[in-house]
Amino acid sequence: MKLSDFDYQLPPGLIAQYPAEKRSESRMLVLDRSNHSISDRYFHELPEIIDDSFFLVVNDSRVFKARMFGNRATGGKVEIFLVRCDNNNRWIALLRPSGRIKKNEKIYFSEKLYITVVDDPGPVERMIEFVSGEIENEIIEKFGLVPLPPYIKREATEEDISRYQTVYAESSGSVAAPTAGLHFDEPIIDKLNSRGISIEKLTLHVGPGTFKPVTSENIEDHIIDAEMAHISDETADAINEKKARGKKLLAVGTTSIRTLEYAVDDNGLLKPIVQFVDLFIYPPYDYKIVNCMITNFHLPKTSLLMLVSAFCGRGFLLEAYQHAVEEKYRFYSYGDCMLIL
């Protein structure tokens, strides 16, 4: 398929710049694949729409303050975007500007707190080292900012520290939120549990590649950036047991979906993993373990839009997006969501 097959027109005013006042008050467009129907609902209605024949799988990765600003010894300002911790107190990071910064140059946050760039200019990703591993987290917490997506045209606020984070986030490591989970609050989770709808957790640490545009006109030529994922033995066993009893797996977000589909074998059994995953899902793709999904609205011509198209059909999805535009749904990370049954 061609990249142009996954384009649509979105008025800029529909790109959400702030979260909804209450998480569960987000609107939810429900797509039923069995009868090709579209209906307008609200997220707080989820426990009434599904029953105990479903169970949920969510991504519990926690967003950390990955965006930082420091200064060179010359006084020039540098943006540091932390990607992931490597080892030996070193991080892979994106620097701006990068080409001017030499090997062993220091970027200062204060007189005594700094990072050192430990490789030569050239790669897009640079290797950096904090002045001290013991105060690394202290530096990130003090000088780091919430890494809001580039289409949110404002600086991060104190509210974003909590709102650009799922209520069930546990394992720190993401530079972008698994945004389909932002609609959940504690009352919704309690209501799901009270109705016998259980929630299983896996981890995929979202990297900056989530914003990487697809540039190949032949989408098969696109390469997904690998991201670290973890499915525990207990989680794999619980999901396999529920599937064996005929329960429907409702995956929350594209990160959960990619992790599940990567880790399932040809017999439909989920394997525990601790490894980088790089599964690119696009039409035609035969889903092996995911039965239903909750997902936000995605940018045109992106791998995320292609993943959802592979699940419900490109034509049906673009029809739903057109409906969402006409009904003035809010789009992208802080926007509304879809439930696809």
Side-chain angles (χ1 to χ4, degrees):
M1 300 186 78
K2 301 297 183 182
L3 182 60
S4 54
D5 293 331
F6 298 92
D7 197 11
Y8 69 91
Q9 298 301 312
L10 179 70
L14 295 184
I15 300 173
Q17 298 297 305
Y18 292 90
E21 186 173 341
K22 290 181 62 177
R23 291 176 184 265
S24 62
E25 290 302 315
S26 298
R27 297 171 74 189
M28 182 169 69
L29 190 63
V30 180
L31 278 62
D32 190 327
R33 294 178 296 160
S34 66
N35 58 17
H36 202 87
S37 66
I38 299 172
S39 57
D40 301 299
R41 307 291 288 267
Y42 285 89
F43 191 79
H44 64 77
E45 298 178 85
L46 179 65
E48 282 73 51
I49 296 172
I50 62 175
D51 57 28
D52 62 5
S53 65
F54 292 80
F55 70 99
L56 277 59
V57 177
V58 302
N59 180 8
D60 71 357
S61 183
R62 175 175 290 276
V63 180
F64 69 101
K65 295 180 178 180
R67 190 173 180 229
M68 310 173 76
F69 290 92
N71 292 284
R72 304 173 72 185
T74 58
K77 194 172 186 180
V78 179
E79 180 178 356
I80 303 114
F81 194 93
L82 301 173
V83 176
R84 63 181 178 272
C85 188
D86 189 6
N87 51 42
N88 299 321
N89 192 34
R90 292 182 172 182
W91 282 77
I92 294 168
L94 303 175
L95 305 183
R96 190 165 60 179
S98 178
R100 303 177 195 169
I101 299 174
K102 300 174 183 178
K103 182 177 180 177
N104 295 326
E105 185 171 344
K106 292 180 172 57
I107 309 298
Y108 292 89
F109 304 105
S110 68
E111 183 179 352
K112 296 182 179 180
L113 300 177
Y114 57 85
I115 62 167
T116 302
V117 182
V118 299
D119 60 359
D120 291 307
V124 174
E125 294 180 338
R126 304 290 299 273
M127 188 72 74
I128 68 168
E129 190 172 77
F130 282 82
V131 59
S132 168
E134 283 132 15
I135 58 173
E136 174 183 303
N137 290 335
E138 177 186 328
I139 294 172
I140 293 173
E141 185 61 32
K142 183 174 182 179
F143 297 100
L145 301 170
V146 176
L148 293 178
Y151 46 76
I152 294 182
K153 305 297 184 183
R154 61 176 177 81
E155 292 300 316
T157 66
E158 284 296 313
E159 181 187 29
D160 294 307
I161 293 173
S162 61
R163 292 303 304 273
Y164 195 61
Q165 198 82 265
T166 63
V167 296
Y168 46 74
E170 293 179 6
S171 178
S172 181
S174 281
V175 304
T179 53
L182 296 180
H183 309 284
F184 287 84
D185 56 21
E186 294 297 346
I188 288 287
I189 292 172
D190 290 343
K191 197 164 187 179
L192 289 167
N193 287 331
S194 71
R195 300 199 63 198
I197 303 167
S198 63
I199 299 175
E200 302 295 338
K201 297 178 181 179
L202 52 74
T203 304
L204 182 130
H205 293 314
V206 187
T210 191
F211 303 116
K212 182 179 178 182
V214 178
T215 56
S216 309
E217 182 56 26
N218 292 314
I219 63 172
E220 297 89 348
D221 297 331
H222 182 65
I223 297 174
I224 291 284
D225 288 357
E227 297 162 313
M228 178 55 70
H230 179 207
I231 300 175
S232 69
D233 293 292
E234 294 78 12
T235 295
D237 289 345
I239 291 174
N240 288 330
E241 186 272 334
K242 289 178 174 65
K243 291 285 289 185
R245 289 194 287 119
K247 292 203 174 248
K248 296 186 280 287
L249 193 164
L250 172 54
V252 178
T254 58
T255 58
S256 299
I257 293 163
R258 288 191 292 110
T259 306
L260 289 163
E261 291 292 323
Y262 182 93
V264 67
D265 66 20
D266 292 338
N267 297 316
L269 286 177
L270 191 68
K271 301 169 292 184
I273 59 169
V274 182
Q275 65 187 86
F276 284 95
V277 302
D278 59 355
L279 179 62
F280 178 23
I281 297 176
Y282 57 89
Y285 175 83
D286 183 18
Y287 277 83
K288 298 176 179 64
I289 193 167
V290 173
N291 303 112
C292 313
M293 67 175 66
I294 294 171
T295 182
N296 277 22
F297 294 95
H298 303 295
L299 277 72
K301 298 183 177 181
T302 56
S303 61
L304 306 180
L305 190 69
M306 295 168 191
L307 179 153
V308 183
S309 295
F311 188 72
C312 65
R314 185 183 67 89
F316 190 23
L317 183 65
L318 293 179
E319 178 186 336
Y321 269 54
Q322 182 59 38
H323 175 90
V325 169
E326 292 171 358
E327 295 299 319
K328 293 183 169 47
Y329 276 68
R330 302 167 75 243
F331 277 65
Y332 306 161
S333 292
Y334 271 150
D336 299 314
C337 67
M338 307 172 70
L339 168 63
I340 308 178
L341 301 171

